[in-house]
Amino acid sequence: MADPDGALAHPPMRAERVPRARATIGAEPFHAVLVAAQAGARWANSELWNEYAPAVAAFVRSRGSREPDDLTSEVFLAVFDRLGAFRGDEADFRAFVFTIAYRRLTDELRRRGRRGEHEEWQQGLDARRAPSAEDEALGRLGDRSARELIDSLVPDQRDVMVLRILGDLTVDQVAVVLGKRPGAVKALQRRALESLRRKIATGRTPARAFGDGRE
């Protein structure tokens, strides 16, 4: 089966590596929702959309997508098209979804770069979207200053931080999405946090968002 986004090319991530993985979506066990979606049940597709689309939309929006809602729809068309070939647990599925999102976002930014287009990013307000982990972790600094801090990072560091905060991905999951080793992701996160610490006052660092030791 063709897999142009590379989302199915990685070996499954075992549950013990990602202990925070959710076992349910809404009131249903994840596996039951997944099996139903693979069998073509519309309610199950809706459950997957409602669970993951807000985070995907927030991620692509924060990284400069010009049409984040359209891009999110495109991502999930690809997700549902390849659903039958997916194997894994909830943690694997989250990495699968964000791998496709990252590849499609990269394609959009590359196309715009070739055309020499530039448009200043502006925060989109979507009333359907619940407050994200980013809002909790960085909102205390104010939206504008928080975005400017993240945008000041070099691209690889910025990708890691946005996927960790907005995507709520573990280090191992970010490594799958970006095609890097977990050690390299940890190093990028460490350098990003060091850079952010230098830019903001002591005691108000986004590093607190990762103070639970989560990997």
Side-chain angles (χ1 to χ4, degrees):
M1 178 177 180
D3 184 26
D5 294 310
L8 298 171
H10 304 281
M13 297 166 55
R14 299 277 55 86
E16 59 267 26
R17 295 175 61 193
V18 283
R20 294 180 71 259
R22 290 182 298 278
T24 62
I25 296 181
E28 297 290 335
F30 171 79
H31 181 69
V33 176
L34 175 63
V35 170
Q38 289 175 324
R42 291 186 179 182
W43 69 266
N45 286 341
S46 296
E47 287 286 328
L48 294 175
W49 168 270
N50 291 334
E51 178 70 19
Y52 299 101
V56 169
F59 165 64
V60 299
R61 181 183 295 111
S62 72
R63 291 296 287 111
S65 173
R66 180 162 294 176
E67 299 291 343
D69 291 337
D70 289 347
L71 184 56
T72 299
S73 296
E74 181 182 330
V75 167
F76 276 85
L77 286 174
V79 167
F80 294 142
D81 183 58
R82 298 167 200 179
L83 206 55
F86 173 78
R87 298 293 183 272
D89 59 16
E90 195 277 341
D92 301 325
F93 186 76
R94 193 172 187 87
F96 167 69
V97 170
F98 274 90
T99 297
I100 293 176
Y102 179 76
R103 299 291 188 269
R104 294 302 173 93
L105 174 66
T106 299
D107 289 343
E108 178 191 327
L109 298 179
R110 185 179 295 120
R111 287 194 300 269
R112 285 165 48 191
R114 285 198 297 265
R115 292 196 295 263
E117 298 179 11
H118 175 75
E119 180 174 314
E120 182 179 357
W121 179 87
Q122 295 181 354
Q123 184 178 14
L125 297 178
D126 187 346
R128 299 169 297 175
R129 183 165 64 94
S132 67
E134 181 197 46
D135 296 324
E136 298 175 5
L138 301 181
R140 291 170 298 174
L141 299 176
D143 287 337
R144 184 178 182 83
S145 60
R147 299 290 185 177
E148 288 175 350
L149 282 170
I150 294 296
D151 286 346
S152 71
L153 298 171
V154 298
D156 281 351
Q157 294 175 10
R158 187 166 61 238
D159 286 339
V160 167
M161 293 300 290
V162 172
L163 285 167
R164 289 281 272 144
I165 296 171
L166 278 179
D168 194 27
L169 301 183
T170 67
V171 167
D172 286 338
Q173 289 170 318
V174 173
V176 170
V177 172
L178 299 181
K180 298 181 181 296
R181 294 182 180 276
V185 172
K186 289 181 181 179
L188 287 167
Q189 177 179 295
R190 182 175 62 252
R191 289 195 290 270
L193 292 174
E194 289 171 353
S195 177
L196 292 174
R197 287 190 186 102
R198 291 193 295 268
K199 297 175 185 295
I200 59 180
T202 301
R204 304 192 68 186
T205 171
R208 289 186 171 186
F210 306 109
D212 59 0
R214 171 169 61 94
E215 294 184 359

